[in-house]
C-alpha cells in the first residue's frame, strides 16, 4: 500500500542538520517499513514519510522497437501467460504519446513506466500502490546501472544482461526494496565481480 492519507504517513518537522542530504540515504532495519526523506528546498523543512510496503509484480525493460531486453517477475505465472502480458504491455506503452502520463491503469494493476534514451523501464504494481514511489524505484535502478556501467546504454544491457539482473536482485527482492543505499548496492556488485575474477 502507498500513501493513502493520515493513516499511512506521518510528517515530522526537523531542522536540516539532523537528516542526510539524499532522500535515499536514510536507512531503517524494519521489515515492513521504508523511510523516505524529502527536503523542501529553500524552506528548511524536512518531511519523513513512513511507507507501508509496496509490491512490484514485474519489471520490464524494452526498446523503442519493442524488443525485450530484461524481464523480472515476482509472481508465478506460466511462461505463455508472461509472453502474452509482456506483448500487450509493450504495445500499450509504445502506442502512448510522450506527453501523456507515465501511469497506466491496466486490468487490476497499475503500470508505471519511464523512458531513458532508447529504453523503456516499466513496473507493474498493485492498484493502490504509490505511483510516484514506483517511479523513484525505476529511477534508482537506472542510477545503479549508471553507476556500475558508467553512462549506461542499451548495448550495456544487451551484452551484460547478467550484470543488469544482478544489480536488480541487489536492489529488489520479492518485489520489494531491499537496499536503498546506492553505495551499498554497488559495493556488493563490485565485491561479487572481484570474487568472480579470483575464482
Amino acid at each position: 500500500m502507498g500513501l493513502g492519507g493520515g493513516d499511512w504517513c506521518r510528517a515530522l518537522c526537523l531542522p536540516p542538520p539532523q537528516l542526510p542530504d539524499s532522500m535515499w540515504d536514510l536507512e531503517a532495519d524494519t521489515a515492513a517499513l521504508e523511510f523516505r526523506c524529502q527536503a523542501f528546498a529553500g524552506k528548511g523543512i524536512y518531511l519523513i514519510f513512513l511507507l507501508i510496503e509496496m509490491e512490484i509484480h514485474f519489471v520490464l525493460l524494452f526498446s523503442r522497437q519493442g524488443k525485450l531486453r530484461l524481464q523480472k517477475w515476482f509472481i508465478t505465472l506460466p511462461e505463455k501467460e508472461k509472453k502474452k502480458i509482456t506483448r500487450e504491455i509493450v504495445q500499450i506503452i509504445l502506442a502512448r504519446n510522450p506527453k501523456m502520463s507515465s501511469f497506466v491503469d491496466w486490468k487490476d494493476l497499475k503500470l508505471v513506466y519511464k523512458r531513458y534514451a532508447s529504453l523503456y523501464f516499466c513496473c507493474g504494481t498493485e492498484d493502490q500502490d504509490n505511483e510516484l514511489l514506483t517511479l523513484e524505484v525505476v529511477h534508482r535502478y537506472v542510477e545503479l546501472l549508471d553507476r556500475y556501467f558508467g553512462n549506461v546504454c542499451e548495448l550495456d544491457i544487451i551484452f551484460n544482461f547478467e550484470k543488469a539482473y544482478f544489480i536488480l536482485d541487489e536492489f529488489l527482492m520479492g518485489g520489494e526494496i531491499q537496499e536503498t543505499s546506492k553505495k551499498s548496492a554497488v559495493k556488493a556488485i563490485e565485491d561479487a565481480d572481484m570474487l568472480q575474477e579470483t575464482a
Side-chain angles (χ1 to χ4, degrees):
M1 298 178 191
L3 291 175
D7 294 337
W8 306 117
C9 70
R10 184 183 305 142
L12 303 173
C13 289
L14 298 170
Q18 293 181 8
L19 292 173
D21 296 330
S22 169
M23 61 188 287
W24 284 94
D25 286 344
L26 190 63
E27 297 178 3
D29 292 321
T30 54
L33 297 176
E34 287 292 334
F35 288 79
R36 180 178 183 231
C37 172
Q38 183 174 355
F40 283 76
K43 295 185 180 177
I45 298 170
Y46 282 70
L47 295 181
I48 299 176
F49 295 108
L50 274 65
L51 303 180
I52 303 303
E53 61 183 86
M54 58 177 287
E55 189 181 344
I56 295 172
H57 287 226
F58 54 81
V59 177
L60 303 175
L61 268 68
F62 52 91
S63 67
R64 285 179 297 178
Q65 292 75 36
K67 300 269 188 186
L68 192 64
R69 299 304 183 200
L70 180 145
Q71 60 174 330
K72 183 76 176 178
W73 295 82
F74 301 107
I75 51 170
T76 307
L77 287 172
E79 204 59 40
K80 193 176 179 182
E81 185 69 19
K82 286 180 184 177
K83 285 180 180 176
K84 185 185 172 189
I85 289 170
T86 302
R87 193 164 50 246
E88 193 176 332
I89 289 171
V90 169
Q91 285 173 356
I92 288 169
I93 291 174
L94 289 178
R96 287 173 67 82
N97 190 300
K99 292 183 179 179
M100 292 173 84
S101 165
S102 293
F103 315 131
V104 182
D105 287 319
W106 179 77
K107 297 185 179 178
D108 58 340
L109 296 177
K110 193 173 287 174
L111 303 177
V112 178
Y113 71 92
K114 189 165 175 64
R115 181 182 160 186
Y116 290 88
S118 62
L119 278 178
Y120 284 88
F121 291 71
C122 174
C123 289
T125 65
E126 293 286 342
D127 189 48
Q128 71 271 19
D129 280 343
N130 189 300
E131 305 99 323
L132 295 177
L133 179 62
T134 311
L135 213 51
E136 290 277 11
V137 168
V138 169
H139 186 67
R140 173 43 52 119
Y141 181 49
V142 173
E143 284 183 325
L144 287 169
L145 289 170
D146 241 0
R147 187 149 179 174
Y148 181 78
F149 290 109
N151 200 14
V152 68
C153 66
E154 191 177 345
L155 287 174
D156 290 321
I157 307 292
I158 293 169
F159 293 113
N160 300 284
F161 64 90
E162 74 286 350
K163 300 291 184 194
Y165 276 109
F166 189 80
I167 293 166
L168 186 59
D169 288 341
E170 200 61 40
F171 177 43
L172 295 174
M173 183 179 279
E176 295 173 9
I177 300 166
Q178 72 157 343
E179 182 54 77
T180 58
S181 169
K182 189 160 53 175
K183 192 184 289 182
S184 298
V186 171
K187 187 179 184 307
I189 297 154
E190 287 170 350
D191 288 348
D193 285 347
M194 207 174 291
L195 279 172
Q196 197 174 8
E197 285 169 16
T198 55

